[in-house]
Amino acid sequence: MISRTVTRLAAVALILAFAVIGSRPVTAADPIKIGAALSLTGRFSDSAKYVQEGYQLWLQEVNAHGGINGRPVQLITYDDESNPDTAAVLTERLISRDGVVAILGPYSSPITDAAATVAERAGVPMLGTIASDSSIWERRKLHWTVQAFPSSTYDHEGFLKVIASKGKAIKHLAIVYEESPFSIGAKNWAMEEAKKMGLSAEAFGYAPGSQDFSSIVERIISSKADAVSMGGYYQPSIALTRKMIERGYNPVAYHFIQAADGVTKTALAGDASGIFGRSAWESTFTDSASKTFTAAYKAKFNRLPSYHSAAAYAAGQVLEAAIKAKGPDKNGIRDFIATTTMPTVLGTYKLNSKLQQEGYRYTLTQWVSGESKVIRDPAQALWPKPAWK
Amino acid sequence: MRFAAITVAAAALAAVMPFAGVSVYAGTLVYYAAYYLVLGQAWNMMSGLTGYVSFTHGALAGIGAYTAVLAINGGWPITLALVAAVAVTAFASLVIGVTSLRLRGTAFTFATLFFQELLLLGVRKLPAAGGAAGTTLQEILPTSLPHVLMVLTAAGATIAFALLRRSRTGVRLLAIKGDEDAAAAVGIDATRLKIGVFCASAALCGLAGGIHALFIASLHPESVFSVDTSIVALAVPLIGGVETALGPVAGAILYVGLREILQIVAPSLHLVIVGLLILLVTLFLRDGIIGAARRLLQRRRTYRAALETAR
């Protein structure tokens, strides 16, 4: 008897919920709606805040100039709690309840993957703002989601360039990679490129999450490599470096892709000196687009932008151009962002046929006297790497 | 019987949503309510009836999800992949079950926590499962398939729980919760029962995880094996009321609905409010919302009866 009453109540509640949540029509007089699900709480929240500020700055500038084609732009942002399931629900809410015409991407690969699934099903264009892992576009075919961040395929590019310029004496290059799609992709590209340069190269793979690099370091030493490039995540990179220090192995040049991160200095102190890294963007960039962006960002938020903010702003620039050219039409926007080549604060935006980023490239960095410096001209690099302290 | 009929009717109503022109967003919320209901019912089966608290039901669903994705990408048909998800998860649960359910008290709870962590570390290092970068279904399936499957599974799990609760086995399980020594004294093989019900509960999680993989399409170890989903599996029956078939139903609807409404009304505070509510319910409504509602009805009826007699 009681359970029946409760069941009925639950059924009524369910029906009411549908009625309240049901979609609403969007009229032409409304502002152009764009959606973003961001990890404002949870483990990605620090970086996601920078992304959000990048979007906000772009939005403010667009609307200050009278919007796009005379219509104001509205950015609807939700907190995905750094959780893919929440991101899936929110992306659905943005699309079918709020009626957004495009989505500015979330932070990190797991969340991009989850949001992309929803965007693909619904047929809504999405810019993968902070998605460096180009294997996202290798593992399955995506039509509506594009990579708007430098591709991990080119992780080793800057280091190979500095070897080409400075490293005439380099005989053998060791590439360390993680057995994960993004790292394998980067390794394959680098091996091919090294071959073209006439450089002998050897690859050393390690299992994801590995912390013990003793055997890899021994194998690198016995291969007589005089340059090492590590293409894995941050923690394994530090573990590999520590093992090299412990073993007293001093390559002429050493690069790990995450080295530009400020915590490298804390982890390695004086031993960081001479280590190369790579960066998508730095607030010290001196091109006029970056300078204008950095100044505007500092004026609005009273702190320096990170590469996250620049990527977010750049994604906004691309979307703005797309809507300007095609109007708020999903198919039009998708075709525009898939095929256009245009300058942004992050460099030249250009995709390949798999919708992976080809135009944006990483810039080489190097730790010199306690600072991560941008190396535009390879001739300016500190060479060879000072011996471990 | 009536309960089963109502459950089936409600499930049928929810299952046809994707085909009845209801907004995809509303459909998604119903889908998640159904997903959390399956996990909640599975948790209820094990922890609600025996009192052995599990913190790993989310991770068990994760095993099912990984199995399904790897099988489908390997060319298996979806039905077979789901069967594999159930089998692998049930088998994996024996690892915890056989080792820790022989012991009394908190050993099982700790084992479930370690198991969750162990899975995360293991899958991260498994190149076949995509390692730390995770894995993705090569084909994006329409939501209607996981939606219908999940809603039906949720209805099935609710009916199964109600039957189990009323059965002889259910009474035995509750006896274990009440006093394991006394239960053993009247001839209940507690260890075997506990392992059996945990295995069944895990199989249900495996099925839910496998279906969820069809929906979410991408798996990353950090999120699949994070404690978050396990907490939801436990919060749903706790909010609604453990030991009852209806508790998790109320819990799942309330959990999904409330979170969604709060996210719109109080975007920065919604997690705090949900957390506070769970805390308040567990502190002041020990038997959950369904229990409180029952007591309220009961009191009203006694009051009315008293009035009748007074006249």
Side-chain angles (χ1 to χ4, degrees):
Chain A
M1 182 63 204
I2 299 156
S3 71
R4 212 190 312 156
T5 321
V6 178
T7 321
R8 276 183 198 149
L9 276 176
V12 170
L14 203 72
I15 291 160
L16 275 179
F18 292 160
V20 172
I21 293 160
S23 60
R24 279 176 273 162
V26 180
T27 62
D30 287 341
I32 299 172
K33 285 182 181 171
I34 291 165
L38 281 171
S39 308
L40 301 176
T41 54
R43 62 195 169 108
F44 301 132
S45 62
D46 289 347
S47 314
K49 192 88 189 101
Y50 278 105
V51 179
Q52 189 188 24
E53 290 177 356
Y55 290 154
Q56 284 169 344
L57 178 63
W58 165 76
L59 187 73
Q60 183 193 341
E61 288 180 4
V62 169
N63 284 331
H65 294 113
I68 304 176
N69 299 340
R71 281 177 68 182
V73 178
Q74 186 190 350
L75 178 69
I76 304 168
T77 313
Y78 293 126
D79 173 19
D80 64 35
E81 302 155 12
S82 310
N83 178 332
D85 281 315
T86 313
V89 176
L90 293 182
T91 311
E92 200 55 79
R93 190 201 291 165
L94 286 169
I95 294 170
S96 78
R97 181 171 172 272
D98 301 324
V100 300
V101 294
I103 293 169
L104 288 169
Y107 184 77
S108 89
S109 306
I111 314 241
T112 304
D113 259 341
T117 303
V118 178
E120 291 289 320
R121 280 186 186 131
V124 174
M126 178 169 109
L127 286 135
T129 310
I130 313 279
S132 66
D133 184 349
S134 51
S135 74
I136 289 177
W137 286 264
E138 293 288 348
R139 288 185 287 180
R140 60 178 174 175
K141 194 167 163 26
L142 295 174
H143 179 75
W144 292 91
T145 308
V146 304
Q147 187 175 30
F149 195 80
S151 156
S152 52
T153 306
Y154 304 111
D155 275 344
H156 301 280
E157 188 182 28
F159 187 57
L160 287 175
K161 276 191 179 154
V162 78
I163 291 178
S165 152
K166 284 266 201 178
K168 300 279 179 276
I170 298 277
K171 288 188 194 68
H172 196 63
L173 167 69
I175 295 172
V176 185
Y177 68 98
E178 176 169 308
E179 279 149 5
S180 294
F182 85 96
S183 194
I184 293 172
K187 180 261 300 178
N188 289 344
W189 185 88
M191 292 295 281
E192 193 67 27
E193 198 64 18
K195 209 160 113 195
K196 277 187 217 158
M197 286 164 57
L199 187 69
S200 87
E202 196 173 336
F204 301 86
Y206 68 89
S210 176
Q211 289 288 332
D212 180 14
F213 288 89
S214 351
S215 101
I216 283 192
V217 169
E218 291 310 325
R219 279 159 58 209
I220 292 175
I221 294 173
S222 63
S223 81
K224 298 207 166 46
D226 34 19
V228 178
S229 190
M230 161 67 164
Y233 289 107
Y234 183 76
Q235 294 296 346
S237 301
I238 294 295
L240 174 73
T241 314
R242 291 226 168 101
K243 188 51 77 178
M244 281 161 61
I245 297 171
E246 190 186 304
R247 189 62 177 71
Y249 166 58
N250 270 294
V252 176
Y254 177 46
H255 167 250
F256 69 90
I257 60 171
Q258 307 281 356
D261 200 320
V263 279
T264 303
K265 200 169 92 178
T266 328
L268 298 175
D271 282 327
S273 182
I275 295 180
F276 289 103
R278 56 118 183 87
S279 169
W281 186 86
E282 293 286 321
S283 59
T284 51
F285 278 11
T286 50
D287 59 297
S288 70
S290 298
K291 271 167 112 176
T292 319
F293 167 71
T294 304
Y297 190 98
K298 234 186 135 192
K300 186 166 164 65
F301 300 109
N302 204 22
R303 61 171 174 172
L304 282 172
S306 72
Y307 68 85
H308 310 91
S309 339
Y313 186 84
Q317 288 180 299
V318 174
L319 189 56
E320 182 182 348
I323 300 175
K324 208 170 254 171
K326 304 285 182 170
D329 164 55
K330 289 170 194 158
N331 279 297
I333 294 173
R334 185 266 158 200
D335 289 343
F336 185 93
I337 62 173
T339 52
T340 192
T341 301
M342 65 171 281
T344 71
V345 67
L346 222 54
T348 306
Y349 172 94
K350 187 181 186 306
L351 302 178
N352 65 16
S353 60
K354 283 180 183 163
L355 307 183
Q356 292 161 320
Q357 189 56 238
E358 285 291 328
Y360 296 162
R361 292 296 173 93
Y362 290 105
T363 307
L364 189 70
T365 62
Q366 189 179 32
W367 284 95
V368 182
S369 42
E371 247 184 277
S372 177
K373 290 209 168 112
V374 174
I375 308 289
R376 285 276 182 207
D377 175 10
Q380 304 283 311
L382 176 62
W383 193 279
K385 184 186 81 62
W388 307 120
K389 300 248 155 24
Chain B
M1 209 49 226
R2 184 179 276 277
F3 174 78
I6 294 175
T7 312
V8 169
L13 203 70
V16 297
M17 283 184 71
F19 314 99
V22 180
S23 108
V24 190
Y25 169 53
T28 304
L29 294 185
V30 171
Y31 168 83
Y32 269 99
Y35 175 41
Y36 294 151
L37 173 55
V38 181
L39 297 184
Q41 239 24 311
W43 189 90
N44 207 12
M45 227 174 242
M46 174 65 198
S47 307
L49 291 182
T50 68
Y52 281 79
V53 175
S54 155
F55 275 100
T56 200
H57 272 59
L60 290 171
I63 299 177
Y66 261 97
T67 311
V69 166
L70 295 178
I72 292 170
N73 282 349
W76 291 32
I78 292 174
T79 19
L80 223 56
L82 291 179
V83 171
V86 171
V88 171
T89 314
F91 182 74
S93 77
L94 289 177
V95 176
I96 326 176
V98 171
T99 50
S100 67
L101 280 174
R102 292 172 187 281
L103 306 168
R104 301 275 174 86
T106 50
F108 173 73
T109 302
F110 282 112
T112 59
L113 275 171
F114 293 143
F115 182 69
Q116 173 119 7
E117 202 57 32
L118 196 73
L119 273 174
L120 172 60
L121 292 174
V123 173
R124 275 181 65 103
K125 292 185 184 193
L126 208 65
T135 185
T136 317
L137 266 186
Q138 274 146 20
E139 195 188 344
I140 296 175
L141 302 158
T143 45
S144 47
L145 179 68
H147 182 101
V148 171
L149 288 176
M150 194 63 92
V151 167
L152 294 182
T153 308
T158 305
I159 294 171
F161 181 87
L163 292 177
L164 176 69
R165 169 79 174 74
R166 281 176 210 177
S167 72
R168 206 175 266 264
T169 315
V171 176
R172 288 194 181 122
L173 289 168
L174 282 171
I176 295 174
K177 186 183 188 175
D179 186 338
E180 200 164 334
D181 288 320
V186 295
I188 295 172
D189 185 348
T191 307
R192 228 180 93 188
L193 256 185
K194 284 186 291 182
I195 295 174
V197 76
F198 182 54
C199 199
S201 157
L204 203 52
C205 288
L207 181 59
I211 298 170
H212 188 53
L214 306 178
F215 179 89
I216 199 87
S218 59
L219 306 174
H220 294 265
E222 258 76 11
S223 8
V224 171
F225 299 111
S226 90
V227 80
D228 293 6
T229 320
S230 296
I231 298 281
V232 176
L234 154 164
V236 159
L238 277 184
I239 297 173
V242 288
E243 279 184 40
T244 65
L246 269 183
V249 178
I253 294 173
L254 205 72
Y255 179 81
V256 172
L258 204 66
R259 257 176 67 118
E260 216 49 26
I261 292 165
L262 284 176
Q263 250 216 350
I264 297 170
V265 182
S268 49
L269 282 174
H270 70 283
L271 284 182
V272 180
I273 300 177
V274 170
L276 267 177
L277 267 175
I278 295 177
L279 195 71
L280 288 177
V281 167
T282 42
L283 280 180
F284 299 110
L285 303 175
R286 282 287 176 82
D287 44 359
I289 286 166
I290 292 293
R294 276 193 181 152
R295 265 183 285 130
L296 207 69
L297 284 173
Q298 193 66 46
R299 204 176 299 166
R300 216 173 59 183
R301 202 173 300 156
T302 341
Y303 177 68
R304 273 202 199 136
L307 271 186
E308 290 289 322
T309 15
R311 262 180 224 161

